[in-house]
Every structure is written in C-alpha cells, then in structure tokens.
Amino acid sequence: MTPPPGFPGSGLAKGLAVTLRTMTKKSVTGRYPDTQPDLAPRTRGVIGLFEENCTVCMLCARECPDWCIYIDSHKETVPATTPGGRDRSRNVLDRFAIDFSLCMYCGICIEVCPFDALFWSPEFEYAETDIRELTHERDKLREWMWTVPAPPALDPAAEEPKELAAARKTADKLAATQAAAEPEPQPEPPTADPQPDPPTTGPTGPKREGS
C-alpha cells in the first residue's frame, strides 16, 4: 500500500518498495569479460577488409567524411596472355589503413564499395592506451574479416553470391599459380637387386656346411 502524499517517510517507503521488487527479480548484469555479450549480427563494431576484392579504386577514401582511410598502391604491367595481345596495367594494393580515432562508424565506405571489400564486424575489443595506435593496417583489418558473421541463408533456388564466386576464383587461381611454380619431383633411379653368391662346389658336388 502506497502511503498518501505528504505522509512522513513516504519517500523512504517508495524506495524500499522498489528495492523489494528488484530483489525478487533475476539479475541481468553481464559479467564481462568472463561472459561475452551476445551482439546483434549487424553490430557496427569494426571494419574488416577482404583484400582479394579490393581494386584500389579509392572510392571509399574519397567518400569518407572524416578522411580516416589511407590507401597506397602502385601499378604493375600484366603481360598479354594471347599472341599479339596488348599488355595491361593493374593497381596493386600496398597499404590500406583506417584511423579509428577519427572514424565515426557511419558505414559510408562499406556502402559505396563496388566490389564488396569492406564489411562490418561485431568485434569491439580493440581499445588502446595510445591514440596513435588506433590506426590499424591491412593485416589487422584482414584478421577482423574472419569475425564477420555469415550472411543469412538465401533461397535454395537462388544463385551463389558473387562475393563467394569471386573469392573462390581468386583462391583457385592462386593455388594453380603455386602448383605451377613448384618443381615436379624427379623419379629416383632404380637400384639393382644384389645378386646372391654362387654356391661353392667341390669335386663331387655342392659343399655342405660342416663337411
């Protein structure tokens, strides 16, 4: 029963009533870091880089409102694969870094990437004691890529996602290149079987042991 307003000690009674109601309920406090929180799949924790899909188009760095993405690259000449063909040039990624002390987690870089090279990861344990260490290079961004949750399952009759097809094609090409670079094992020369010693013969036949 709630005491009427103005009753002496009414505030104390209300506080005790709240305490008694809370004591009978189950605690919902998460015991972090012993127990990891159950985050939503679309949590904006950190940005992971899928390097194989990056074409160094610089679109993410140009569209970033905080200018916190740093990309360096160089051009390489790819020889023609057919006789009479023309050599072509391609961009090779040298550096991809994100300064998370400037990032405001807007997700524009992920949305504008035309080749699906950037993804949200629910990873959030990357605090540093020095603000200068919050600029993470592509090796760290690649490690976070493997913490990206899998997308929801598609319809059984749907086509394979283009990201998986592109990644599988890149992996198969890399495996074929490595297999072609490895020298083929040379067969070992056959070894001649040792011939048994001829039997020792005497005047009347083979010599027996102990004779």
Side-chain angles (χ1 to χ4, degrees):
M1 179 178 179
T2 304
F7 181 80
S10 60
L12 177 61
K14 290 180 181 179
L16 292 175
V18 173
T19 302
L20 291 175
R21 287 198 303 267
T22 307
M23 290 175 61
T24 58
K25 295 181 180 179
K26 184 179 180 181
S27 176
V28 294
T29 303
R31 299 189 177 278
Y32 177 85
D34 297 332
T35 303
Q36 294 292 325
D38 187 12
L39 302 176
R42 298 179 65 185
T43 300
R44 296 190 175 188
V46 78
I47 298 174
L49 171 67
F50 192 49
E51 188 176 336
E52 286 77 6
N53 285 359
C54 182
T55 60
V56 202
C57 65
M58 306 291 292
L59 191 58
C60 56
R62 290 197 300 265
E63 296 295 331
C64 177
D66 292 332
W67 292 87
C68 64
I69 300 178
Y70 311 109
I71 300 176
D72 293 331
S73 65
H74 70 277
K75 289 185 177 294
E76 285 186 356
T77 301
V78 180
T81 57
T82 57
R86 181 183 301 176
D87 296 343
R88 62 185 182 89
S89 63
R90 67 184 182 95
N91 292 324
V92 179
L93 183 65
D94 293 329
R95 185 194 183 200
F96 195 109
I98 299 179
D99 187 355
F100 286 97
S101 65
L102 298 177
C103 179
M104 64 180 184
Y105 303 91
C106 63
I108 293 178
C109 58
I110 298 176
E111 296 296 331
V112 301
C113 180
F115 301 101
D116 294 325
L118 298 174
F119 295 86
W120 279 118
S121 165
E123 180 67 35
F124 63 94
E125 295 179 315
Y126 56 95
E128 301 289 348
T129 57
D130 189 347
I131 192 173
R132 292 170 294 184
E133 297 180 359
L134 283 174
T135 301
H136 294 289
E137 301 293 335
R138 64 177 183 175
D139 293 337
K140 188 64 176 179
L141 301 180
R142 185 179 180 84
E143 291 180 11
W144 282 329
M145 181 62 206
W146 310 124
T147 63
V148 174
L154 299 177
D155 187 86
E159 297 181 356
E160 183 183 38
K162 61 180 181 180
E163 298 85 4
L164 294 179
R168 184 176 294 106
K169 182 179 179 180
T170 303
D172 294 342
K173 185 183 297 184
L174 180 61
T177 304
Q178 293 177 350
E182 293 179 357
E184 297 183 358
Q186 298 295 332
E188 297 181 359
T191 57
D193 296 334
Q195 297 295 332
D197 296 335
T200 304
T201 57
T204 58
K207 182 179 180 181
R208 296 182 179 179
E209 185 178 355
S211 59

